[in-house]
Amino acid sequence: MAQIQRRKTYTAVVGGVRVGSDVPIVVQSMTNTDTADIDGTIRQCMALARAGSELVRVTVNNDAAAEAVPHIVDGLDRLGVPVPIIGDFHYNGHILLKKYPACARTLAKYRINPGNVSIGKKDDNNFRAMIEVAIENDKPVRIGVNWGSLDQSLLTRLMDANSKLGEPKDARDVTMEAMVQSALRSADLAVSYGMKPEQIILSAKVSGVQDLIDVYRELARRCEYPLHLGLTEAGMGAKGIVSSTAALGVVMQEGIGDTIRVSLTPAPNGDRTEEVTVAQQILQSMGIRSFTPQVTACPGCGRTTSTFFQEMAEQIQGYLRDQMPIWKTSYSGVEEMKVAVMGCIVNGPGESKHSNIGISLPGTFEDPKAPVYVDGRLMLTLKGDHIVAEFIKIVDNYVDSHYAAKEKQLVTIGG
């Protein structure tokens, strides 16, 4: 797997999950349930965690939500899903954290938006109150600047200063600078109040690809805090996926980023876990982390008038993802397995040979047979109506024989 040189940062600990340059980039997500709905929020947190979200954030916006947090954390623990829960605070976090100490204790991290507390107003008392609660409970914080709720007094000062320059900068560039300064100034204030630098994570959320790239490059250049990456309001479907991939891919390739979230707008009644799957796929496609075996499949052309190879590719990818919760507890390294499902003779055999296991299905007018390659060598040829089931059995056997069971590893070491 390719190695990308990460920028050196402090290492924060969020509910037992380490965040920083000396550990792999962490995937996180956020619920969209009413946090006061304890059962519904537990179900969604559990679904996100089981999909692979290593940190889950919940909205804490009122008394009912703050009261619900300890019950949500306890419920997840009882179900055997001890995923760290992060509290997302705006406007009234200083009140809720003080009023509900059980909420403050059970959250793994607090997310504070400096533009939505007292930063930039006549004093910083509200921000300071939240930091003091974090220090008292030994909790890390994410200081999350958002261009939709930026400190307006800071932005106004920078805009005024810019207008007096002989060659004023573009307003967009001044806004990006205001975001960086807001994040760094807030972090400096937190440290001055007694917070350890290694308990601070920063983010600067924007909704434009080039804006994200520019603001995070500058933020990374000017601090050693871990950075949380993600477009805010990325959008729905292909737009959200492509935009997030384009933005995160550039900065992560430059070694920037320690946690990521893909903020997709789900379709009505859509699956919230899609954002977790996309975040994992971005990391795996870039060779940064591996989560599940990957299926290579051709796009199809005039040689592949049958849809069978497409249906098979979909079935195999679904099977591999469904098996991963079982495999990852028993086998080491199986998430790096590569499988090819190809549709004709042009690239089918060659691509199959480059995978751990590959099958080349017959294209239009080709002989009705499907050669299977294992580790680059022709193993056998499948025919008939049970190709998918037979190929899945070959995959299962390969996993069992090539990825040592963890119990077997222990026996070998002990012996």
Side-chain angles (χ1 to χ4, degrees):
M1 183 176 290
Q3 294 296 315
I4 295 174
Q5 186 66 40
R6 301 262 299 281
R7 63 182 272 272
K8 186 64 179 174
T9 72
Y10 299 110
T11 300
V13 180
V14 182
V17 175
R18 299 173 70 224
V19 174
S21 59
D22 62 340
V23 292
I25 295 173
V26 174
V27 173
Q28 74 168 262
S29 56
M30 184 176 182
T31 60
N32 61 358
T33 57
D34 179 355
T35 307
D37 175 6
I38 295 172
D39 291 340
T41 302
I42 287 174
R43 285 194 296 272
Q44 193 170 88
C45 287
M46 185 164 58
L48 291 168
R50 288 180 172 170
S53 184
E54 293 152 310
L55 302 172
V56 175
R57 182 159 46 109
V58 302
T59 296
V60 187
N61 59 332
N62 54 37
D63 293 71
E67 287 183 308
V69 165
H71 301 289
I72 293 167
V73 173
D74 180 63
L76 289 167
D77 285 341
R78 284 188 281 104
L79 290 168
V81 188
V83 62
I85 300 299
I86 300 163
D88 191 66
F89 294 96
H90 297 270
Y91 308 111
N92 59 353
H94 59 292
I95 297 172
L96 296 175
L97 286 170
K98 289 279 191 179
K99 187 176 179 180
Y100 297 97
C103 172
R105 286 195 303 270
T106 53
L107 287 171
K109 183 178 71 174
Y110 313 152
R111 189 275 177 134
I112 306 172
N113 182 341
N116 286 339
V117 291
S118 58
I119 293 287
K121 306 296 192 300
K122 63 180 181 180
D123 58 51
D124 301 318
N125 289 345
N126 296 350
F127 177 76
R128 181 170 188 160
M130 297 181 74
I131 295 299
E132 288 175 345
V133 174
I135 294 170
E136 178 184 345
N137 289 281
D138 196 26
K139 304 293 183 180
V141 299
R142 170 159 71 92
I143 297 173
V145 179
N146 192 308
W147 74 343
S149 50
L150 187 56
D151 176 354
Q152 290 302 302
S153 63
L154 172 61
L155 180 59
T156 299
R157 288 198 304 273
L158 292 181
M159 287 291 187
D160 288 345
N162 182 63
S163 67
K164 296 175 183 177
L165 297 176
E167 296 183 6
K169 298 178 181 178
D170 185 82
R172 176 262 189 191
D173 295 334
V174 179
T175 301
M176 296 298 104
E177 175 62 20
M179 293 190 69
V180 172
Q181 287 194 27
S182 178
L184 296 178
R185 176 176 180 263
S186 299
D188 288 344
L189 280 174
V191 172
S192 74
Y193 299 148
M195 174 149 277
K196 300 172 185 175
E198 59 268 26
Q199 290 183 306
I200 297 173
I201 298 169
L202 299 183
S203 67
K205 290 297 196 73
V206 293
S207 56
V209 172
Q210 294 300 332
D211 295 326
L212 182 145
I213 292 169
D214 289 347
V215 76
Y216 274 97
R217 279 175 173 167
E218 190 61 19
L219 200 53
R221 187 181 69 82
R222 290 159 64 173
C223 77
E224 294 183 354
Y225 296 111
L227 299 180
H228 169 71
L229 301 181
L231 285 174
T232 187
E233 299 103 25
M236 296 184 71
K239 187 268 182 187
I241 293 171
V242 172
S243 295
S244 293
T245 303
L248 271 58
V250 171
V251 292
M252 288 195 297
Q253 185 67 31
E254 296 176 5
I256 299 169
D258 303 286
T259 71
I260 67 169
R261 181 192 172 201
V262 176
S263 300
L264 296 180
T265 303
N269 301 314
D271 188 351
R272 189 66 166 183
T273 63
E274 180 187 15
E275 66 177 43
V276 180
T277 303
V278 173
Q280 290 181 329
Q281 192 61 54
I282 292 172
L283 290 171
Q284 187 148 354
S285 295
M286 293 184 67
I288 294 173
R289 288 185 67 181
S290 294
F291 298 94
T292 189
Q294 299 289 284
V295 173
T296 298
C298 64
C301 66
R303 289 177 172 270
T304 56
T305 52
S306 169
T307 61
F308 178 68
F309 87 93
Q310 298 163 312
E311 295 162 356
M312 182 173 179
E314 183 178 37
Q315 290 178 56
I316 297 301
Q317 183 69 76
Y319 178 77
L320 296 176
R321 183 167 287 281
D322 290 344
Q323 288 298 108
M324 270 309 296
I326 302 169
W327 284 345
K328 71 181 181 181
T329 63
S330 303
Y331 298 99
S332 177
V334 67
E335 65 276 3
E336 296 185 11
M337 181 172 66
K338 292 179 175 59
V339 179
V341 179
M342 303 299 290
C344 78
I345 198 171
V346 173
N347 292 318
E351 191 67 55
S352 295
K353 291 176 184 178
H354 288 299
S355 300
N356 298 110
I357 311 170
I359 185 169
S360 179
L361 297 167
T364 306
F365 305 124
E366 293 178 16
D367 290 339
K369 59 184 181 180
V372 175
Y373 297 83
V374 175
D375 291 332
R377 296 187 177 185
L378 178 64
M379 176 184 177
L380 52 79
T381 300
L382 300 179
K383 300 179 181 180
D385 299 328
H386 304 290
I387 287 178
V388 175
E390 291 172 0
F391 186 72
I392 285 175
K393 186 174 181 180
I394 293 170
V395 170
D396 286 337
N397 290 337
Y398 187 92
V399 170
D400 191 54
S401 61
H402 286 70
Y403 299 98
K406 292 180 179 179
E407 293 80 4
K408 293 178 182 177
Q409 287 180 321
L410 292 174
V411 171
T412 302
I413 294 170

Short mmCIF file of all heavy atoms in Angstrom, two decimals, residues 4 24 32 35 98 140 152 154-155 175 181 195 198 237 270 290 297 306 330 338 376 378 396-397:
data_model
loop_
_atom_site.label_atom_id
_atom_site.label_comp_id
_atom_site.label_asym_id
_atom_site.label_seq_id
_atom_site.Cartn_x
_atom_site.Cartn_y
_atom_site.Cartn_z
N ILE A 4 1.62 7.77 2.25
CA ILE A 4 1.57 9.22 2.12
C ILE A 4 2.15 9.82 3.39
O ILE A 4 1.77 9.44 4.50
CB ILE A 4 0.12 9.71 1.92
CG1 ILE A 4 -0.42 9.19 0.58
CG2 ILE A 4 0.05 11.23 1.97
CD1 ILE A 4 -1.88 9.48 0.35
N PRO A 24 -3.76 6.00 11.90
CA PRO A 24 -4.51 6.13 10.64
C PRO A 24 -5.62 7.18 10.73
O PRO A 24 -6.16 7.45 11.81
CB PRO A 24 -5.11 4.72 10.44
CG PRO A 24 -4.19 3.82 11.20
CD PRO A 24 -3.74 4.60 12.40
N ASN A 32 -28.76 12.12 12.25
CA ASN A 32 -29.74 13.14 11.90
C ASN A 32 -31.06 12.90 12.62
O ASN A 32 -32.11 13.40 12.22
CB ASN A 32 -29.95 13.22 10.38
CG ASN A 32 -30.47 11.91 9.79
OD1 ASN A 32 -30.63 10.92 10.49
ND2 ASN A 32 -30.72 11.92 8.49
N THR A 35 -32.01 13.99 18.96
CA THR A 35 -31.23 13.35 20.02
C THR A 35 -32.10 13.00 21.22
O THR A 35 -31.81 12.02 21.93
CB THR A 35 -30.06 14.26 20.45
OG1 THR A 35 -29.31 14.62 19.29
CG2 THR A 35 -29.13 13.55 21.42
N LYS A 98 -22.90 23.04 31.58
CA LYS A 98 -22.90 23.36 33.01
C LYS A 98 -24.13 22.77 33.71
O LYS A 98 -24.06 22.27 34.84
CB LYS A 98 -22.88 24.88 33.21
CG LYS A 98 -21.56 25.55 32.85
CD LYS A 98 -20.56 25.41 33.96
CE LYS A 98 -19.35 26.30 33.72
NZ LYS A 98 -18.37 26.20 34.83
N PRO A 140 -11.39 16.22 25.08
CA PRO A 140 -10.88 17.02 23.97
C PRO A 140 -12.00 17.83 23.34
O PRO A 140 -13.20 17.55 23.58
CB PRO A 140 -10.36 15.96 22.99
CG PRO A 140 -11.22 14.77 23.27
CD PRO A 140 -11.52 14.80 24.74
N GLN A 152 -18.18 37.45 12.75
CA GLN A 152 -18.39 38.60 11.87
C GLN A 152 -17.51 39.80 12.23
O GLN A 152 -17.12 40.57 11.36
CB GLN A 152 -19.87 39.00 11.89
CG GLN A 152 -20.78 38.00 11.20
CD GLN A 152 -20.38 37.76 9.74
OE1 GLN A 152 -20.35 38.69 8.94
NE2 GLN A 152 -20.08 36.50 9.41
N LEU A 154 -14.42 39.66 13.37
CA LEU A 154 -13.10 39.38 12.80
C LEU A 154 -13.13 39.59 11.29
O LEU A 154 -12.24 40.23 10.72
CB LEU A 154 -12.69 37.94 13.12
CG LEU A 154 -11.42 37.42 12.43
CD1 LEU A 154 -10.20 38.25 12.82
CD2 LEU A 154 -11.21 35.94 12.75
N LEU A 155 -14.16 39.07 10.64
CA LEU A 155 -14.26 39.22 9.19
C LEU A 155 -14.35 40.69 8.80
O LEU A 155 -13.70 41.13 7.84
CB LEU A 155 -15.48 38.46 8.68
CG LEU A 155 -15.73 38.51 7.16
CD1 LEU A 155 -14.53 37.95 6.40
CD2 LEU A 155 -17.00 37.76 6.81
N THR A 175 -11.95 36.07 3.32
CA THR A 175 -12.82 35.18 4.10
C THR A 175 -12.08 33.92 4.52
O THR A 175 -12.20 33.46 5.66
CB THR A 175 -14.07 34.79 3.28
OG1 THR A 175 -14.79 35.98 2.93
CG2 THR A 175 -14.98 33.88 4.08
N GLN A 181 -7.70 32.40 10.87
CA GLN A 181 -7.43 33.17 12.08
C GLN A 181 -8.41 32.84 13.20
O GLN A 181 -8.02 32.77 14.37
CB GLN A 181 -7.46 34.67 11.77
CG GLN A 181 -6.27 35.17 10.99
CD GLN A 181 -6.17 36.70 11.00
OE1 GLN A 181 -6.64 37.35 11.94
NE2 GLN A 181 -5.53 37.26 9.99
N MET A 195 -6.28 24.47 28.63
CA MET A 195 -6.45 23.24 27.85
C MET A 195 -5.11 22.82 27.25
O MET A 195 -4.34 23.66 26.78
CB MET A 195 -7.49 23.44 26.76
CG MET A 195 -7.62 22.26 25.81
SD MET A 195 -9.30 22.07 25.15
CE MET A 195 -10.09 21.17 26.50
N GLU A 198 -2.70 19.05 22.98
CA GLU A 198 -3.02 17.73 22.41
C GLU A 198 -4.48 17.34 22.61
O GLU A 198 -4.89 16.25 22.19
CB GLU A 198 -2.11 16.65 22.98
CG GLU A 198 -2.16 16.49 24.49
CD GLU A 198 -1.11 17.33 25.20
OE1 GLU A 198 -0.68 18.37 24.65
OE2 GLU A 198 -0.72 16.93 26.32
N GLY A 237 -26.35 12.66 -3.36
CA GLY A 237 -25.97 11.74 -4.42
C GLY A 237 -24.61 11.98 -5.02
O GLY A 237 -23.63 12.25 -4.32
N GLY A 270 -33.56 7.81 3.20
CA GLY A 270 -32.33 7.17 2.74
C GLY A 270 -31.49 6.64 3.88
O GLY A 270 -31.78 6.87 5.06
N SER A 290 -7.45 0.28 4.45
CA SER A 290 -8.26 -0.76 3.82
C SER A 290 -9.39 -1.14 4.77
O SER A 290 -9.16 -1.32 5.97
CB SER A 290 -7.41 -1.99 3.49
OG SER A 290 -6.45 -1.68 2.48
N ALA A 297 -14.38 -4.27 -11.75
CA ALA A 297 -15.32 -4.73 -12.77
C ALA A 297 -15.26 -3.80 -13.97
O ALA A 297 -15.11 -2.58 -13.82
CB ALA A 297 -16.75 -4.79 -12.22
N SER A 306 -24.92 -8.95 -22.45
CA SER A 306 -25.59 -9.54 -21.30
C SER A 306 -25.30 -8.70 -20.06
O SER A 306 -24.23 -8.12 -19.92
CB SER A 306 -25.07 -10.97 -21.06
OG SER A 306 -25.53 -11.45 -19.82
N SER A 330 -11.99 -12.64 12.57
CA SER A 330 -11.34 -13.96 12.50
C SER A 330 -10.09 -14.00 11.64
O SER A 330 -9.22 -14.84 11.86
CB SER A 330 -12.34 -14.99 11.96
OG SER A 330 -13.50 -15.05 12.76
N LYS A 338 -8.23 -8.45 -3.32
CA LYS A 338 -8.74 -7.84 -4.55
C LYS A 338 -9.40 -8.92 -5.41
O LYS A 338 -8.83 -9.99 -5.63
CB LYS A 338 -7.61 -7.17 -5.32
CG LYS A 338 -7.05 -5.94 -4.61
CD LYS A 338 -5.93 -5.30 -5.39
CE LYS A 338 -5.46 -4.00 -4.72
NZ LYS A 338 -5.00 -4.21 -3.34
N GLY A 376 -2.97 -15.04 -10.00
CA GLY A 376 -2.34 -14.92 -11.31
C GLY A 376 -2.34 -16.16 -12.16
O GLY A 376 -1.92 -16.12 -13.32
N LEU A 378 -4.41 -19.64 -13.78
CA LEU A 378 -5.70 -20.24 -14.09
C LEU A 378 -5.95 -21.41 -13.15
O LEU A 378 -5.17 -22.36 -13.09
CB LEU A 378 -5.73 -20.72 -15.54
CG LEU A 378 -7.02 -21.42 -15.99
CD1 LEU A 378 -8.20 -20.44 -15.93
CD2 LEU A 378 -6.85 -21.98 -17.40
N ASP A 396 -14.56 -17.92 -0.51
CA ASP A 396 -14.55 -18.36 0.89
C ASP A 396 -13.34 -19.24 1.18
O ASP A 396 -12.68 -19.09 2.22
CB ASP A 396 -15.84 -19.12 1.22
CG ASP A 396 -17.05 -18.21 1.35
OD1 ASP A 396 -16.87 -17.01 1.62
OD2 ASP A 396 -18.18 -18.70 1.19
N ASN A 397 -13.07 -20.16 0.28
CA ASN A 397 -11.92 -21.05 0.48
C ASN A 397 -10.61 -20.27 0.45
O ASN A 397 -9.67 -20.58 1.20
CB ASN A 397 -11.91 -22.14 -0.60
CG ASN A 397 -13.04 -23.14 -0.43
OD1 ASN A 397 -13.58 -23.30 0.67
ND2 ASN A 397 -13.42 -23.81 -1.51
#
